[in-house]
Amino acid sequence: MNQDIKHHMYRIVDDYIYVEDLNALLKSFIADKEQENASWSKITVCTHYMLGGNSPHLHRMAAVTELIILALDIMDDLQDQDHSSKTWMQCPQAITLNALLAMLMGVIGELGQLQVADKWLVEVSKIISRSVNGQQKDVTNSVSSVDDYLLMTQEKSGSLFRFACFMGYYSLDCTAEMMEQLNDLADCIGLIHQIQNDMRDVVQYDVKSDLLNKKRTLPILYLLSIDDPAFSQFKDYYDGKMNADFLWQEKEATVRMIHDSGCLEYARIVQSVCLQKAEGIYEQLQAISPWKEEFKEITYASFLDRIK
């Protein structure tokens, strides 16, 4: 993370949180998040520069991006009760919730300080609310079809990339067509990343196991659709006719069945379609080099290398 962006994140905490222990806790959350080496603020910076921007407040905008993504990550971990090594999962939940609320209030204050126009504040709320709506579908396991999954993932994950892009272009004179292109590209990128996570998690055996938690991700939806008695135990488990014992007792055989089922290949095919769509949108973007190429590099270029 750019150190100037990190400085602004700390400054926002200092501007609004004067209770020492809460102030220190929020800064520890930021330091923890920094270790992930994620690209959220880089997306904001690249979007701004590739569309011709040169705002002196760019790093403040990118700091808002990082804080919103951090807040949503904390919310996700609290809901799923995973990533126990994270600092926000190691303190009492009531304290973490207070820190989460404080972070969001700091972001609202910073957007005010940046004099973000009313129409763009409305757009901020729409993008974040879209992600929350997708998250609600995810935590309630309301997905029952591939179309449901694709929509939920675009809402939940695509909105994060939409927000990172938005913070880079909201201050510029962008056309409606350009904003629509960036939104569509962000949704594709969100799908690409989430499908990759779901392919990993379908064979994972721990508290976050998608199978154990009866989640209906893309590979699992394929697994449940197989009309073969050999795979009926998965359907029976999801229908409540079996408990999870078979998943643990026959762990190696279950993982082998998952690999043999074709569900991972199916997920890769859908992912490759998303990549092709992303490439089509990207090629149409009227954006400035080398920032346009850098945007692609930090968002989805590595996935193109995997399918070649």
Side-chain angles (χ1 to χ4, degrees):
M1 183 188 298
N2 177 289
Q3 291 305 299
D4 191 40
I5 294 172
K6 182 179 177 181
H7 164 76
H8 281 297
M9 294 171 74
Y10 279 7
R11 176 190 53 75
I12 292 169
V13 172
D14 288 337
D15 284 349
Y16 295 93
I17 305 303
Y18 52 81
V19 175
E20 289 185 8
D21 59 344
L22 185 58
N23 183 292
L25 187 65
L26 281 164
K27 289 176 180 176
S28 74
F29 291 178
I30 292 168
D32 193 329
K33 183 67 175 174
E34 183 183 18
Q35 301 307 310
E36 296 178 9
N37 197 30
S39 301
W40 299 109
S41 54
K42 293 178 184 177
I43 294 172
T44 294
V45 171
C46 278
T47 300
H48 189 77
Y49 285 145
M50 77 179 186
L51 299 183
N54 191 27
S55 171
H57 303 305
L58 179 56
H59 286 173
R60 293 177 66 181
M61 302 170 190
V64 168
T65 298
E66 289 285 355
L67 286 173
I68 284 291
I69 299 298
L70 174 55
L72 292 174
D73 279 351
I74 292 171
M75 181 183 75
D76 185 71
D77 288 346
L78 288 173
Q79 290 169 337
D80 292 346
Q81 286 297 297
D82 58 5
H83 295 138
S84 58
S85 63
K86 292 295 183 182
T87 51
W88 50 84
M89 297 301 293
Q90 294 179 346
C91 56
Q93 189 174 97
I95 302 298
T96 299
L97 287 171
N98 207 35
L100 178 58
L101 181 59
M103 195 182 307
L104 292 173
M105 293 304 99
V107 163
I108 292 172
E110 186 69 2
L111 291 172
Q113 291 288 337
L114 288 167
Q115 298 183 329
V116 177
D118 291 349
K119 69 173 184 176
W120 296 128
L121 290 176
V122 171
E123 190 63 23
V124 166
S125 69
K126 285 182 177 179
I127 295 171
I128 296 173
S129 295
R130 181 175 185 255
S131 182
V132 173
N133 277 283
Q135 181 75 357
Q136 176 68 11
K137 293 177 182 180
D138 188 30
V139 298
T140 57
N141 287 328
S142 63
V143 168
S144 60
S145 69
V146 171
D147 285 344
D148 288 344
Y149 169 88
L150 295 175
L151 178 58
M152 178 273 292
T153 301
Q154 288 175 84
E155 291 170 339
K156 176 187 172 182
S157 302
S159 294
L160 304 186
F161 289 95
R162 282 191 179 197
F163 184 75
C165 292
F166 170 82
M167 289 305 299
Y169 72 68
Y170 82 86
S171 63
L172 307 176
D173 187 19
C174 284
T175 64
E177 180 184 11
M178 173 63 77
M179 289 186 280
E180 184 178 357
Q181 286 178 321
L182 287 170
N183 282 340
D184 289 344
L185 181 56
D187 281 353
C188 288
I189 295 168
L191 277 166
I192 292 163
H193 283 263
Q194 189 59 54
I195 291 171
Q196 191 68 32
N197 291 343
D198 292 343
M199 287 191 288
R200 178 198 65 209
D201 292 346
V202 71
V203 292
Q204 188 165 277
Y205 269 76
D206 60 18
V207 6
K208 199 178 182 302
S209 167
D210 285 342
L211 267 177
L212 287 169
N213 291 322
K214 294 186 178 180
K215 288 203 168 187
R216 286 180 169 83
T217 63
L218 188 63
I220 290 175
L221 284 167
Y222 182 91
L223 194 62
L224 295 174
S225 73
I226 298 174
D227 187 18
D228 184 329
F231 293 89
S232 62
Q233 57 188 351
F234 295 110
K235 296 178 188 176
D236 289 342
Y237 174 60
Y238 272 69
D239 290 339
K241 298 175 183 177
M242 291 179 64
N243 59 34
D245 289 349
F246 82 97
L247 291 173
W248 291 107
Q249 293 169 358
E250 303 293 335
K251 178 179 176 181
E252 291 184 7
T254 301
V255 171
R256 190 161 54 248
M257 284 183 69
I258 291 169
H259 281 285
D260 293 343
S261 71
C263 71
L264 297 177
E265 287 77 6
Y266 170 75
R268 289 190 190 98
I269 289 170
V270 176
Q271 187 185 49
S272 70
V273 171
C274 295
L275 281 162
Q276 290 170 16
K277 184 177 179 182
E279 280 282 80
I281 298 169
Y282 173 83
E283 292 301 327
Q284 293 176 13
L285 282 179
Q286 298 297 309
I288 299 170
S289 295
W291 300 103
K292 179 180 179 181
E293 291 75 16
E294 178 68 13
F295 179 92
K296 178 177 177 178
E297 188 64 31
I298 63 179
T299 52
Y300 71 93
S302 63
F303 293 94
L304 291 169
D305 295 336
R306 296 177 196 177
I307 64 171
K308 287 179 180 178

